[in-house]
Amino acid sequence: MRSRGSFAPGHAVVFLVWWMAHCGGGLVAAMPPDGWYDYTAHTDCRGRPEPAQYNGGILKYGNGDDPNGYKTTETGVLSPAFVVYNLNKSTMYTFSGWVKLEGSPSALITARLAPDNSGTRCIGTVLARSDCWAFLKGGFVLDWPTQTSVIFFQNADRTPMKITTASASLQPFTTEQWSMHQKDTIRKRRKRMATIHVADPHGTRVVGASVSVQQTSKDFPLGSAIASTILGNDAYQKWFVDRFNAAVFEDELKWYSTEPASGLLRFDVPDQMLAFVRSHRVMVRGHNIFWENQDATPRWVKGLSPDDLRSAVNTRIQSLMTRYRGEFAHWDVNNEMLHFNFYEQRLGANATMEFFSVAQDADPLATLFMNEYNVVETCDDASSTVDAYVARLKDLRAGGAVLEGIGLEGHFSKPNIPYMRAVLDKLATLNLPIWFTEIDINNKFDAQTQAVYLEQVLREAYAHPAVSGVMLWTALHEGGCYQMCLTDWNLKNLPVGDVVDRLLQEWQTGQVAGPTDAHGAYSFSGYLGEYVVTVNAGNSSKQSTFSLSPGDETRHITVQI
């Protein structure tokens, strides 16, 4: 055993470190043999921990008498910790383990990294309990290589209690390995093999026929916010529909926009915006019915008595959702309720449950979402940890709410991609559609840095098997955008716009062509969506349409010519 001190700024903490004698007193970073990532995660608390992912990765500790690697100590005095040497810049490190408490029924526990004794950063959180084991999954990327780093566990509010950890794992991946896994997942989840069989009217295969396949629409929704600025702007409208198949209104459906004064309903602008997206077959999300943030609550609503407020919210749901019944694919029912509680404070803890119930009755075809920020963006927001989000989702479902979607806003500063993936892994255990609903990059970064970070986020979001759609928060205004514009006001691409255009081009099949083989067949791998196929053989020509929907088997299409 050895100990190290004063890793956290502002207070002295002593870390108890375990390592095997045959490891030479430390843990040296190494690459996995096959570069494969383990999506496994757990959000249920268990009677005993599962084995360590990647067999512990580079955390080869213990003396052989303790196969699970249980470690116990006191927070505030000593904390479970691991020393690792020679961590690399830009390597993707995924960290996981199981945590249990003594002395407190539950607590938010953070795993923190102290690189080269230069401050600490959060790399994962878990809502741990004393009666079972909870799974923590996170990760990090370093901006510079380190000689000696410490990973330790800490109670978020510093209340002394005993923390036990088991089956901890730290697994490094090169950027090439990470990218390889993204591409493999895209191949399996976003694409499908298809074979075009060409035959004559008698069923005889036609060899050497010319086959041309063109994708006409994409299955995966990738879109952007729009604002009233798109109305009457033909150039902006064309720019939008040439790129995106999904939209969300930035502010025009929010309560303060549709009812600025009690009983004064204004739906003319969202009606026009809806007509625009409908005319171009663009799916649209409803954002939002309610927003728990008091600062985003209509001024006239703030002073209502509980009874009047209850009447007002019911009228709000009915007027909004009856008018737009069947029009919006999704509704964010009660926005950002992990951070704010305007309605629940005044109407009781079951207020959100009632919102979901009334909304479901008003438009049973719409998918109802929770929507929240700082779940994937950062590890340091105690209000919106992944376990807090999971717990709230489970509570709503247990109470009878028909909650069918998980909304992640995605307002990023510098993204922590391994942490982002780990959070998605945990949310995926709920088997609900996960959407990124408001992606942007903070404008404190220069344009080129914004572009680099946006590409990292979009590639990770698109590649994760649990993600069902992506929306950018880039509604264009003459004076700029919320944080990030794709173009200037004249629709000239900014660096982030170039990233989006390049990825949109990459994530579509485009046109593929070739002759049928000796079996009268032509095969290709295509992105999911709608297609038109044209076959020419001799003086004959035939055109047909087909779709590539999700599936593991090859899609077979026969064209008779």
Side-chain angles (χ1 to χ4, degrees):
M1 295 185 195
R2 298 174 59 186
S3 62
R4 297 181 62 88
S6 302
F7 281 91
H11 63 282
V13 182
V14 180
F15 301 102
L16 185 63
V17 180
W18 299 271
W19 56 68
M20 297 178 66
H22 65 261
C23 284
L27 304 165
V28 181
M31 292 298 120
D34 59 4
W36 215 246
Y37 179 85
D38 186 351
Y39 280 121
T40 305
H42 310 275
T43 52
D44 54 333
C45 212
R46 301 196 169 187
R48 59 182 299 109
E50 297 288 326
Q53 293 190 323
Y54 315 104
N55 295 316
I58 60 176
L59 297 185
K60 307 296 185 183
Y61 59 94
N63 57 14
D65 297 327
D66 182 8
N68 291 312
Y70 290 12
K71 302 300 171 188
T72 305
T73 189
E74 297 286 335
T75 58
V77 180
L78 299 172
S79 171
F82 307 97
V83 163
V84 286
Y85 294 148
N86 303 326
L87 298 182
N88 298 316
K89 175 184 176 180
S90 301
T91 296
M92 305 288 195
Y93 291 96
T94 181
F95 180 73
S96 60
W98 294 80
V99 181
K100 190 176 182 180
L101 306 178
E102 291 183 30
S104 176
S106 65
L108 178 62
I109 303 299
T110 63
R112 303 195 72 85
L113 174 74
D116 282 341
N117 203 12
S118 59
T120 72
R121 57 185 289 191
C122 177
I123 62 172
T125 64
V126 67
L127 185 59
R129 290 164 44 179
S130 61
D131 59 339
C132 57
W133 291 90
F135 184 66
L136 180 149
K137 193 172 190 183
F140 60 92
V141 181
L142 295 172
D143 294 324
W144 60 85
T146 65
Q147 294 182 344
T148 306
S149 299
V150 175
I151 296 173
F152 64 98
F153 296 84
Q154 190 175 68
N155 180 16
D157 65 7
R158 313 292 172 82
T159 304
M161 67 186 64
K162 184 174 288 188
I163 301 173
T164 304
T165 64
S167 302
S169 172
L170 180 66
Q171 181 62 59
F173 296 90
T174 65
T175 53
E176 292 77 13
Q177 289 168 331
W178 200 267
S179 176
M180 174 192 70
H181 200 268
Q182 286 179 335
K183 291 176 182 176
D184 185 71
T185 306
I186 288 171
R187 177 181 62 81
K188 293 176 180 176
R189 302 286 298 191
R190 310 298 180 203
K191 302 182 76 175
R192 187 173 177 182
M193 287 298 302
T195 297
I196 310 295
H197 301 272
V198 181
D200 67 16
H202 304 289
T204 303
R205 66 183 62 138
V206 178
V207 178
S210 174
V211 178
S212 176
V213 180
Q214 178 73 49
Q215 186 175 15
T216 57
S217 67
K218 302 173 185 177
D219 183 67
F220 186 87
L222 200 162
S224 171
I226 56 174
S228 59
T229 52
I230 204 166
L231 297 176
N233 189 332
D234 293 341
Y236 185 12
Q237 291 182 10
K238 182 179 186 308
W239 175 91
F240 186 90
V241 299
D242 282 348
R243 286 161 175 80
F244 300 122
N245 60 359
V248 60
F249 300 170
E250 186 179 43
D251 285 310
E252 287 75 8
L253 281 172
K254 292 169 183 171
W255 200 356
Y256 56 69
S257 296
T258 62
E259 194 174 4
S262 180
L264 179 61
L265 299 179
R266 292 180 173 172
F267 291 111
D268 55 319
V269 171
D271 283 353
Q272 294 175 61
M273 295 172 68
L274 182 60
F276 159 67
V277 296
R278 188 194 296 124
S279 67
H280 293 282
R281 299 187 301 169
V282 173
M283 73 86 67
V284 61
R285 303 190 73 248
H287 177 77
N288 52 53
I289 303 176
F290 297 109
W291 193 348
E292 282 285 356
N293 187 350
Q294 178 170 314
D295 293 340
T297 303
R299 186 174 302 173
W300 64 271
V301 173
K302 295 178 183 179
L304 296 177
S305 68
D307 286 344
D308 288 341
L309 179 60
R310 190 174 301 278
S311 175
V313 299
N314 283 329
T315 301
R316 158 70 174 171
I317 298 176
Q318 293 293 346
S319 64
L320 186 68
M321 300 195 70
T322 300
R323 183 182 191 90
Y324 295 121
R325 181 184 175 98
E327 296 282 6
F328 291 91
H330 302 165
W331 279 105
D332 295 326
V333 176
N334 197 10
N335 204 44
E336 299 176 356
M337 58 184 171
L338 294 181
H339 286 92
F340 308 106
N341 64 350
F342 173 82
Y343 296 100
E344 294 197 341
Q345 189 178 50
R346 289 158 178 77
L347 300 177
N350 290 328
T352 298
M353 207 90 65
E354 296 173 12
F355 294 167
F356 273 92
S357 177
V358 176
Q360 174 66 19
D361 289 342
D363 190 352
L365 297 180
T367 302
L368 305 183
F369 275 68
M370 268 188 71
N371 194 45
E372 194 56 73
Y373 69 92
N374 278 355
V375 182
V376 292
E377 297 98 314
T378 178
C379 188
D380 287 308
D381 190 338
S383 296
S384 53
T385 65
V386 60
D387 283 5
Y389 202 4
V390 168
R392 194 61 193 269
L393 287 162
K394 288 183 175 179
D395 286 346
L396 286 169
R397 295 175 80 179
V402 182
L403 196 154
E404 300 162 310
I406 299 171
L408 303 171
E409 293 185 14
H411 296 294
F412 287 89
S413 288
K414 181 176 182 179
N416 178 352
I417 298 301
Y419 176 76
M420 174 181 168
R421 184 180 290 188
V423 169
L424 291 171
D425 292 347
K426 292 195 75 172
L427 292 172
T429 64
L430 300 179
N431 295 314
L432 290 171
I434 299 173
W435 275 64
F436 281 87
T437 58
E438 304 179 18
I439 287 180
D440 60 18
I441 305 296
N442 194 288
N443 61 16
K444 68 181 180 182
F445 301 109
D446 62 69
Q448 293 297 335
T449 302
Q450 276 188 316
V452 170
Y453 291 165
L454 179 65
E455 182 166 357
Q456 291 175 1
V457 169
L458 290 179
R459 286 193 180 280
E460 188 59 43
Y462 185 73
H464 199 283
V467 174
S468 297
V470 167
M471 304 292 290
L472 300 163
W473 202 247
T474 51
L476 185 61
H477 301 268
E478 191 167 4
C481 305
Y482 174 68
Q483 291 287 335
M484 184 185 80
C485 289
L486 299 182
T487 72
D488 62 19
W489 182 243
N490 295 315
L491 302 176
K492 181 181 178 181
N493 266 13
L494 300 172
V496 287
D498 288 338
V499 166
V500 170
D501 282 352
R502 186 171 69 251
L503 293 178
L504 288 170
Q505 185 69 27
E506 179 181 331
W507 294 334
Q508 67 180 10
T509 306
Q511 186 172 15
V512 294
T516 55
D517 60 18
H519 301 280
Y522 172 76
S523 298
F524 71 99
S525 174
Y527 285 91
L528 303 182
E530 300 296 318
Y531 287 80
V532 60
V533 55
T534 303
V535 177
N536 290 290
N539 295 323
S540 300
S541 180
K542 182 68 175 289
Q543 191 172 84
S544 182
T545 60
F546 66 94
S547 62
L548 285 184
S549 55
D552 296 327
E553 299 178 345
T554 300
R555 172 86 159 88
H556 291 272
I557 303 99
T558 298
V559 178
Q560 188 180 84
I561 193 166

